[in-house]
Amino acid sequence: MQTDNLDYFRRRAHEERQIAATCEDNAVTAAHLKMAEEYQKRVDELNDQPGLARVV
């Protein structure tokens, strides 16, 4: 289950960064980068949990 969450959060962070890179509106870009940051925080939290192999 944690691995599924890790994969999901990692994928969503990547997708949000890709979307941000194509935005023409700075506010929209910032919103997508903020979402990517939040997903990345979850990836980092899961990577720090004992018993879960760290995947970069």
Side-chain angles (χ1 to χ4, degrees), residues 1-49:
M1 180 68 149
Q2 286 181 342
T3 302
D4 291 341
N5 289 341
L6 183 61
D7 291 340
Y8 172 77
F9 293 141
R10 185 180 295 112
R11 179 173 47 88
R12 291 298 294 133
H14 178 74
E15 289 170 351
E16 290 299 335
R17 288 185 192 102
Q18 286 183 315
I19 294 168
T22 65
C23 292
E24 295 180 14
D25 184 303
N26 289 340
V28 176
T29 298
H32 283 289
L33 290 175
K34 178 64 177 168
M35 287 188 283
E37 181 181 309
E38 292 299 322
Y39 283 120
Q40 187 62 51
K41 284 181 187 177
R42 284 154 181 79
V43 169
D44 296 342
E45 288 169 2
L46 285 172
N47 276 331
D48 289 341
Q49 289 183 359

